[in-house]
Amino acid sequence: MKKQRLVGDFSQVIFVVTSQRNKWFLSSVLFFGLGCALYFLLPARIAASEIGVGMILSGCAFWMTRRIAIVAFTLQLQTSLMAGFLTSAIHTDIGPQNILTKTLYATEITGTVINIEPRENRLRVTLEPSAITGLADGEYDWKVRLSFLGDSKFSIGDQVQVKARLFPLRPPAVPGDPDFARNLYFSGIGATGFAFGRQFQVLAEDKDYKNNELWNFIEEARQSVSQTISHYLSAPEAGIAKALIIGERGEVTPDITEDLRKSGLAHLLAISGLHMGLLCGTVFFLFRFCLAAIPRIALRYPIKKWAAVVAALSGLIYLGLSGATVPTQRAFIMLLVVWIALLLDRRAISLRLVGVAAIVVLILRPDAVLGASFQLSFAAVGALVAFYDGPGRRWLDRQGMSPWYVRIVIYIAGLLVTGIIVTAVTAPIIGFHFGRISMLGIVANLIAIPVMAFWVMPLIVATLILIPVGLGGVTLALMKPGLAVLIRTASIVADQEWGLWYVSGLSFIAVSCLLLALSWAMIWRDRAAIILGVPLLLIAVFAQWQHQSPNILVSGDRENWAVFDPDDGVLYIPDGLGEFQKSVWMSRFGMRREDEDRYVKTCDTDPCLVGIGADSAKTNIIIASKLLNPFYACRNAEIVISLTTDLPRQSCQDAGAQHMIDDDVLWWQGGVALSAGSKDSDEISLQTVRATSGHWPWVIVAQKAGRAAR
């Protein structure tokens, strides 16, 4: 009986999969993105030619079995997976070559300014170098990102000569930390550093940057908008206005930034899908409304398509004004797909178009699939489109000719449902990447989104139109109370600490499988097909159950470390640990910054002795920058960590030390993470940056980059 039922269920699954071929495309998009991600999770590069051969063979097999539906579907998914591999491999192969692997402590760089980003009291400038002292000409096909003093004056296209310190791309400090080097590599940046004070000069007479006139015009427009905002608005509203209009977040104070993060409104600062959608939507509505008011035009011409073209052009202008950051580019691509669909008389909003946008984005930047921004954007958009294309559409269609007050209630209910859906879908992503989830973000967005949609964004459109004629101050004055509402909302919600959940110890495999299962369910929305996602959920549960988070972290720079006692909930850190690294590690262990005084203890002695675990099974750890008497340390601690000197390993083991980390390990393997002192296990496991990050061009450990494709 059970066997017959199992066969019946399997037959039903096959019937659903083979009969709904319209879902095959979206399934292929999912596997294409999975292929892009899995390639970067490999231990080393695979040649694009090898992947290409495999993809061709898989495609041929698909074509030969296209009449056998279930086999063809499986081979189509396999081909899509390999297409993702191939896309990532091609981008890796064409990335910067011979990037910097050793620090240049004092060098002179001559190059062209191609990007300027204000950052608090600093100015982040990207240069296209033409000469770097210490490197031979032709050794670099990559760009350099330097930090200058905040009042330095530059414009796009300037030829500059600067004395600076230049660093190679830095791998994650320890396994599990954010990998900023990968994003820099795929942005064409091969080294970062800082300028020595004001030791630079602008060679104004040598401006020859391609498209210099266009970039100069855009930069002048951005500076003009910035000056207008500063003239008519004061802090803190001016900082928020600049962040929303031109993408400059340097004037947003750290306190407001933290409030926005805690309240779930941090997405307001990053110009992405919400801002681009609201601006283009406002332009589309206003332009179409004005044309519809003229019967002679409205009855003779396709004003809807005209409005779509104008909205797309407005999005392009907004893209330039906002600095054309990667999230903004991705948002513009998604909106452009919508407008093109409208011009072709296709449905403007559907999961298929979301899939097309995802393919375009991943073809341009396959590494984006591993970033929180991409995952949050497409998870939220996909879930909302799936809902409002199904049960949500039926719910909204019932309102018919309801009175205005009923429609207002339905609109508020829709915002609430939207907030719940977005929070539920993005919670695993936010928890994994940032270590905390704002449960009151639903309430905050219930206020912030209408304010943005009906108050702030229309005035931003009006401001950009009126600034050239000198009337921007009027709309900015009207915008100021709306910005104040956003700031006040973030502050009130952020003060409710009970609404902010700190999470730690999430397994990468568990979160990934959960997201894949949710994506599969959103695509098929059929009980029989969703059954195929059940194994992913089981794997997620098992992976999270087996996951053990490291609680001893030692960075590859051989300076910083952290030890977390899981029994007492105390984090031990060295004196002088940087604020950024401290915040990253505290979030890893699910700790609130407000509890730092209670649960974070600074060790100001060298060597430092830390004991973790229960008293009956305490694990002693000795950490020192330099051990003068290693034998004493090895006799009195189970784990001995020497940051800048080597340890006599055999002698230490004979003395009783169970595990040793020394300068030799940190130099050749990068930062390390150990799991020790757990209530449930006495086993010590070790992870290194080299082993977990792989042999990639942007992973530079021991002054060596990853190997070339095999």
Side-chain angles (χ1 to χ4, degrees), residues 30-46 51 77-78 80-89 92 182 362 366-370 375 508-509 512-513 516 536 692-694 696 698:
L30 177 62
F31 272 71
F32 177 76
L34 181 61
C36 291
L38 289 177
Y39 180 80
F40 295 119
L41 299 179
L42 294 173
R45 302 164 68 175
I46 300 178
I51 301 173
L77 297 184
Q78 177 180 306
S80 301
L81 186 75
M82 300 190 73
F85 268 75
L86 182 61
T87 302
S88 296
T92 303
R182 181 179 58 241
L362 291 177
D367 63 299
V369 71
L370 295 177
Q375 295 169 11
F508 173 78
I509 296 176
S512 300
C513 289
L516 287 173
L536 290 172
T692 56
S693 296
W696 296 98
W698 57 87

Side-chain angles (χ1 to χ4, degrees), residues 218-343:
I218 293 174
E219 186 60 27
E220 288 174 3
R222 296 182 76 233
Q223 294 303 321
S224 175
V225 173
S226 177
Q227 292 171 6
T228 302
I229 294 173
S230 298
H231 181 73
Y232 290 104
L233 294 180
S234 57
E237 290 83 2
I240 300 295
K242 290 183 180 181
L244 294 177
I245 300 176
I246 58 176
E248 288 188 6
R249 291 179 282 177
E251 295 184 23
V252 181
T253 64
D255 291 339
I256 293 178
T257 301
E258 186 66 13
D259 286 345
L260 290 169
R261 288 172 180 166
K262 288 183 177 181
S263 61
L265 297 179
H267 60 92
L268 296 181
L269 287 183
I271 297 179
S272 55
L274 173 66
H275 309 73
M276 189 69 72
L278 289 177
L279 182 134
C280 292
T282 300
V283 172
F284 177 82
F285 171 79
L286 291 176
F287 190 80
R288 189 181 180 191
F289 179 80
C290 292
L291 292 182
I294 308 174
R296 171 170 262 169
I297 296 178
L299 297 175
R300 294 184 180 183
Y301 301 101
I303 61 173
K304 185 177 181 180
K305 295 183 179 181
W306 289 7
V309 172
V310 173
L313 291 175
S314 69
L316 183 62
I317 294 172
Y318 191 38
L319 176 67
L321 286 176
S322 62
T325 60
V326 173
T328 314
Q329 294 175 29
R330 181 166 59 248
F332 176 71
I333 291 171
M334 293 178 67
L335 263 296
L336 188 61
V337 170
V338 171
W339 301 130
I340 292 175
L342 198 150
L343 291 174

Side-chain angles (χ1 to χ4, degrees), residues 631-660:
F631 302 104
Y632 175 82
C634 294
R635 285 195 300 269
N636 291 275
E638 287 75 27
I639 300 175
V640 179
I641 300 173
S642 178
L643 299 176
T644 59
T645 57
D646 294 341
L647 291 172
R649 292 184 166 274
Q650 189 59 50
S651 300
C652 271
Q653 288 179 352
D654 295 341
Q658 298 178 10
H659 217 100
M660 289 148 287

